[in-house]
Amino acid sequence: MAQYFFLFVLVFASQLMAGFNAPLPLPSPSYGNHTTILSIDGGGIRGIIPATVLEYLDKALKAKDPTTSLAHYFDVISGTSTGGLMTAMLAAPNSSNANSPLFTPSEVVQFYKNYGPKIFEPRAWYDLDKCPKFNGEFLHDITRKILKETRLNKTLTNVVIPTFDERKTKPVIFSNYKLKTETYLNAKLSDICIGTSAAPTYLPPHQFQNDGVQFDLVDGAMSANNPALVAVSEVIQHNEHKEILLLSLGTGTIKAEEKLSGIFDGLCQLEWLVSSTNVFSEALYSTNMIHYYLATVFPGVLPADNYLRIEEYNLDPSMEEMDNADKKNMDNLVKVGKNLLLQKALRMNVNTFAPVELDQTNAEALDRLSEKLYAERQLRLKRKSMEKGGSRIIESVKVPSGRMHAT
């Protein structure tokens, strides 16, 4: 009898400790000094690059509190296309532990490596002439398998995922902030992710209904390949004006001169149109203009020192294709992400649109960001605890006085 009592006590104690060690949700920005945003660009298999960068930040934060995840530090996680899928993976609750996300950044990298070749598997030889390039069946299946029935309103933190409705020819922004008034947007995360990832000519459009509303979605990059400005806009529209702390991650871009090389040599208009497709894409999805708007439209809301952009501006052209999921290329994309950490942080000159080196590496900038994120979380927890009469002891943490440089 005593051994059963001991077992009961042991199980009860372990459950109690697990509950005590479970991370609390991030309190509202009203308890702190900043609204924190993570933004992840689209780019297909090149999503490995920002996932590798986030792996570094995640480890830096876990060194301060091993129980937490990125969703416990960012008020908003925003992503387009592959970044939208990553957003859901980092923000959807884990079925075995509702306070933890489905994936860590390290697991996201492994997800790409494991399933990228199947997602971008060429059609059978007798279907090679069909469009789009991939039938999307595996992507749909694996997305539904990992996200199950989870809907937008169940995420651990706010998410903002741009898509584009090809029938209505207008953007559709799936955002937790909108759910109070636009309840039809509370769709399954799997449908949202399949929609935002449906890159024209690569994957088929995604049709579904939710709350009586029909959606015919294609790639969110048709609205905003870099969703940083969309996320900032959502915060400003639906939140109080706290100082914004923004981390924006790209998926790599090749040198501008390599994009433009030779497109003006031909005399035929058709030749120019065909050869300059990537230039049109750059104009449509221009991250440079996102930098410009963020720097000029919101100077008071988004100080330059609170905006960190990490991007590989000199990506090897052999890695440009977003559907190149062979092992060598994926391993090289991981190397790009790791090398980015060692490179000098960059700030975009909004007059020349040329990146300017700063006096710190991206890893050092992320270290400083982790300090600010941790201090912000502790400050909010402390203030909320004091409001409730100190129901849970929160260690007082001094907010770092150092300022984070921007890119």
Side-chain angles (χ1 to χ4, degrees), residues 74 99 104 110 124 137 258 278 295 351 369:
F74 287 101
N99 291 319
T104 65
Q110 199 57 48
E137 291 178 3
E258 293 180 21
N278 54 359
N351 294 315
L369 174 61

Side-chain angles (χ1 to χ4, degrees), residues 41 248-253 287 309-313 340 343 346:
D41 289 10
S248 175
L249 302 178
T251 56
T253 180
T287 290
R309 171 74 175 175
I310 298 181
E311 172 72 295
E312 175 53 73
Y313 292 100
L340 260 179
Q343 293 177 18
L346 301 173

Side-chain angles (χ1 to χ4, degrees), residues 117-134:
K118 295 292 291 182
I119 292 172
F120 297 111
E121 185 175 32
R123 290 179 181 269
W125 64 268
Y126 49 81
D127 277 341
L128 288 178
D129 60 339
K130 289 187 176 180
C131 186
K133 188 174 182 179
F134 307 101

